[in-house]
Amino acid sequence: MSAFVSSSSPAASVPLKRADGNAIRVLVVDDERSLTDLLKMALKYEGWEIRTADTGRQALEVAREFRPDAIVLDIMLPDIDGMTVLSRLRADGDDVPVLFLTAKDALDDRIAGLTAGGDDYVTKPFSLEEVVARLRALIRRSTLTGASDSPFLTIGDLTLNEDSHEVSRGGTPIELTATEYELLRYLMRNPRRVLSKAQILDRVWSYDFEGKASVVEIYISYLRKKIDAGRAPMIHTVRGAGYLLKSAEAMV
């Protein structure tokens, strides 16, 4: 069976860049040359810089020299398996996001891959569009988030802990769903910046949602009820442009 599913041309999406403005770097590791060639072509279409490897040992060498922003890693390799490659990278202190590729579709294999430190999992056969979209989501959540040593984001009296996913305002804990949390985190990472519905859809819902901009309005409403209820508002609508978050003190 083919390891991939042919698909239409990738849909237009917001270009991703490294924090320094250079092209995103991706390492593709698989011993099927035809597969790596196709993935390389699809990822280059995104404007990314791509390197490939067809063995585990070569993957480790390339990763240490290339310093990729993400790795597409096949589990079954001819020398050492993908799990071992990943464990050695993690032992080196490398926390690069990893998307596993495998022909195995058993739940136990998925759990093993993610437990080993992988970030996502795609089973063969797969579409090229799905791999690209999943990589975009992983990269957004890692190298492009501008992460610092502190897990805390603080705007006024609103605090978000990126390690524990805990949110509080004025010291009062606020319970959020996973989507509400991602939306709030995106707003807090861009304080006093107007974010359009298209930008929010692309960042928060990424590859797994093909809805319309109305969903952004719905979730902004949910967030306001939890973040702003009974307090000075922090989430603001800029008519015809989008939404922004700023401290209540900034309104004074």
Side-chain angles (χ1 to χ4, degrees), residues 1-77:
M1 183 187 299
S2 173
F4 55 89
V5 176
S6 60
S7 59
S8 59
S9 298
S13 53
V14 178
L16 293 182
K17 296 283 188 180
R18 305 185 82 184
D20 60 7
N22 290 323
I24 293 293
R25 297 178 180 179
V26 179
L27 170 59
V28 178
V29 186
D30 198 297
D31 61 341
E32 294 183 52
R33 184 58 60 85
S34 60
L35 178 58
T36 55
D37 286 347
L38 279 169
L39 283 170
K40 184 176 182 179
M41 176 183 67
L43 299 180
K44 278 190 170 183
Y45 184 87
E46 294 290 309
W48 300 346
E49 184 178 353
I50 312 301
R51 297 277 182 89
T52 63
D54 53 20
T55 68
R57 291 187 176 85
Q58 183 183 15
L60 288 169
E61 292 177 3
V62 175
R64 288 163 181 161
E65 179 270 326
F66 185 47
R67 306 302 297 175
D69 299 298
I71 298 177
V72 180
L73 179 60
D74 189 24
I75 290 182
M76 302 301 293
L77 295 170

Side-chain angles (χ1 to χ4, degrees), residues 30-250:
D30 198 297
D31 61 341
E32 294 183 52
R33 184 58 60 85
S34 60
L35 178 58
T36 55
D37 286 347
L38 279 169
L39 283 170
K40 184 176 182 179
M41 176 183 67
L43 299 180
K44 278 190 170 183
Y45 184 87
E46 294 290 309
W48 300 346
E49 184 178 353
I50 312 301
R51 297 277 182 89
T52 63
D54 53 20
T55 68
R57 291 187 176 85
Q58 183 183 15
L60 288 169
E61 292 177 3
V62 175
R64 288 163 181 161
E65 179 270 326
F66 185 47
R67 306 302 297 175
D69 299 298
I71 298 177
V72 180
L73 179 60
D74 189 24
I75 290 182
M76 302 301 293
L77 295 170
D79 50 357
I80 57 176
D81 63 34
M83 300 288 193
T84 302
V85 172
L86 180 58
S87 65
R88 292 185 183 179
L89 287 172
R90 295 293 187 251
D92 288 345
D94 193 340
D95 60 355
V96 59
V98 171
L99 174 67
F100 275 124
L101 301 181
T102 181
K104 296 180 180 180
D105 197 21
L107 179 60
D108 288 347
D109 292 322
R110 297 180 187 221
I111 293 173
L114 297 176
T115 301
D119 299 275
D120 206 347
Y121 193 106
V122 175
T123 56
K124 301 175 183 179
F126 53 77
S127 73
L128 294 174
E129 286 177 340
E130 179 182 13
V131 172
V132 171
R134 286 178 181 256
L135 279 173
R136 285 175 59 84
L138 289 180
I139 292 166
R140 285 192 199 96
R141 295 168 187 170
S142 58
T143 58
L144 298 185
T145 59
S148 64
D149 292 335
S150 173
F152 293 99
L153 295 177
T154 302
I155 307 295
D157 61 351
L158 179 64
T159 300
L160 181 150
N161 186 325
E162 293 187 291
D163 285 349
S164 66
H165 286 208
E166 294 175 318
V167 175
S168 65
R169 183 168 181 191
T172 302
I174 299 172
E175 296 293 330
L176 300 179
T177 66
T179 301
E180 290 167 351
Y181 171 84
E182 286 298 330
L183 174 55
L184 179 62
R185 180 166 69 167
Y186 185 44
L187 292 171
M188 292 185 71
R189 283 200 166 279
N190 295 274
R192 301 181 67 84
R193 175 186 173 192
V194 178
L195 301 171
S196 69
K197 292 178 183 177
Q199 287 175 309
I200 294 172
L201 273 175
D202 186 70
R203 168 59 181 85
V204 177
W205 278 266
S206 62
Y207 65 87
D208 57 359
F209 186 83
E210 297 181 354
K212 298 182 179 179
S214 59
V215 75
V216 177
E217 298 174 13
I218 293 171
Y219 273 86
I220 286 289
S221 175
Y222 292 162
L223 263 189
R224 279 179 167 146
K225 290 176 181 178
K226 295 183 177 183
I227 300 299
D228 290 344
R231 306 178 178 95
M234 296 184 68
I235 301 171
H236 303 271
T237 300
V238 180
R239 190 175 299 276
Y243 303 94
L244 65 82
L245 183 146
K246 57 185 175 182
S247 68
E249 290 82 357

